[in-house]
Amino acid sequence: MVTSVVVNGHLVAERAAWLDGPGRGLTKQCVLVVIGATASGTKELVAIQDGYRESDASWRELLVDLKHRGLEEPPQLAVADGALGFWKAISTVFPTTRHQRCWVHKTVNVLNKMPKSVQPRAKSALHQIWQAETREDAYRAFDAFVDKYEGKHPRAVNCLVQDQDEMLAFYDFPAQHWIHIRTTNPIESTFATVKHRQKRTKGCGSRQACLSMVFRLAVSASKVPSTSWESSASTPFKTF
């Protein structure tokens, strides 16, 4: 049974002929990937599909397909960035699934609304929230951040406060999984390789070639020794 899913979408460039002539133009293909985790912490690739950017319709099509392929019991938790298309889609297809926003993406979004001179201290204060030992400590660090920065940087504070419940949902799950379910890092490493390949080859070729490349990389990532989240709790993950 899949208990949690980490999702993401990546825009890749694809060369395609214009419909009205022989010239060649640049189009964007979005690859949507879902990596699931079982109760024991085993990570598995469960879906990969291309779509139109990260639209509600594209994500909904992928999630409905998952249901038809056997994912009848909704995942307990979904982890993603702030892509509105995905959250709207999963709320429709799996309405009981809890939402966890990625702390790496949220940290970037909050800091981008603050002067550079303030960002190092604010970044440290944000880390104290999502790296707290308990939910209660996280709430105290959250309130401290709001009190400290609300007066001078209301846009940054509002960006954080508006998703408070979704930012701290991971505390309701086993502590050994927190490091993996509070960010989308389990899936970002795959996309980092895709981006590197895309840059080196100046594109990913055809639609099928792009999907094949992402599939191979995602399958490879799910087979590495650190696949089990429980056994890899000490493995360092990228943080911001």
Side-chain angles (χ1 to χ4, degrees):
M1 179 182 69
V2 174
T3 60
S4 63
V5 293
V6 182
V7 308
N8 209 334
H10 172 53
L11 282 173
V12 295
E14 178 183 353
R15 290 287 174 182
W18 292 113
L19 295 178
D20 58 352
R24 299 184 68 79
L26 188 66
T27 62
K28 291 289 187 180
Q29 177 185 1
C30 188
V31 180
L32 310 176
V33 177
V34 178
I35 290 181
T38 64
S40 65
T42 300
K43 185 173 62 175
E44 297 179 2
L45 173 67
V46 295
I48 177 171
Q49 180 175 303
D50 60 340
Y52 179 71
R53 296 188 178 272
E54 292 190 64
S55 68
D56 166 29
S58 295
W59 277 116
R60 187 167 59 249
E61 179 183 347
L62 183 150
L63 294 173
V64 169
D65 181 62
L66 279 180
K67 286 188 78 171
H68 290 166
R69 289 195 288 117
L71 190 61
E72 298 177 354
E73 187 170 343
Q76 295 179 28
L77 182 72
V79 188
D81 59 19
L84 297 180
F86 170 74
W87 294 118
K88 183 177 180 181
I90 198 168
S91 295
T92 301
V93 181
F94 295 118
T96 62
T97 296
R98 300 279 304 279
H99 298 181
Q100 172 64 48
R101 294 290 182 89
C102 172
W103 267 102
V104 172
H105 288 86
K106 176 60 73 172
T107 298
V108 173
N109 292 339
V110 171
L111 295 182
N112 281 342
K113 294 174 173 56
M114 309 178 83
K116 291 188 180 298
S117 59
V118 179
Q119 289 182 7
R121 295 190 300 276
K123 175 182 173 182
S124 177
L126 289 170
H127 280 189
Q128 291 179 29
I129 301 174
W130 59 273
Q131 294 180 358
E133 292 291 332
T134 66
R135 179 188 288 273
E136 291 70 27
D137 290 340
Y139 274 127
R140 281 192 286 270
F142 199 104
D143 292 341
F145 184 93
V146 172
D147 292 341
K148 184 174 182 178
Y149 294 108
E150 188 174 27
K152 291 186 176 180
H153 310 290
R155 291 178 61 246
V157 170
N158 182 64
C159 179
L160 179 67
V161 171
Q162 66 184 1
D163 297 317
Q164 181 175 7
D165 291 341
E166 289 82 359
M167 300 309 302
L168 301 177
F170 71 90
Y171 280 107
D172 290 331
F173 296 84
Q176 65 266 33
H177 295 326
W178 290 356
I179 190 174
H180 306 292
I181 62 175
R182 59 194 178 193
T183 76
T184 56
N185 281 338
I187 208 169
E188 292 291 349
S189 58
T190 298
F191 280 125
T193 306
V194 172
K195 293 174 184 177
H196 176 72
R197 295 277 186 90
Q198 180 188 1
K199 182 181 294 185
R200 293 292 298 272
T201 60
K202 295 182 172 58
C204 297
S206 67
R207 167 184 176 274
Q208 189 58 46
C210 176
L211 289 173
S212 297
M213 179 183 69
V214 178
F215 173 77
R216 289 195 300 270
L217 292 171
V219 169
S220 177
S222 68
K223 291 182 178 179
V224 296
S226 61
T227 293
S228 174
W229 290 2
E230 287 188 356
S231 64
S232 63
S234 62
T235 302
F237 271 65
K238 178 189 71 176
T239 60
F240 187 88

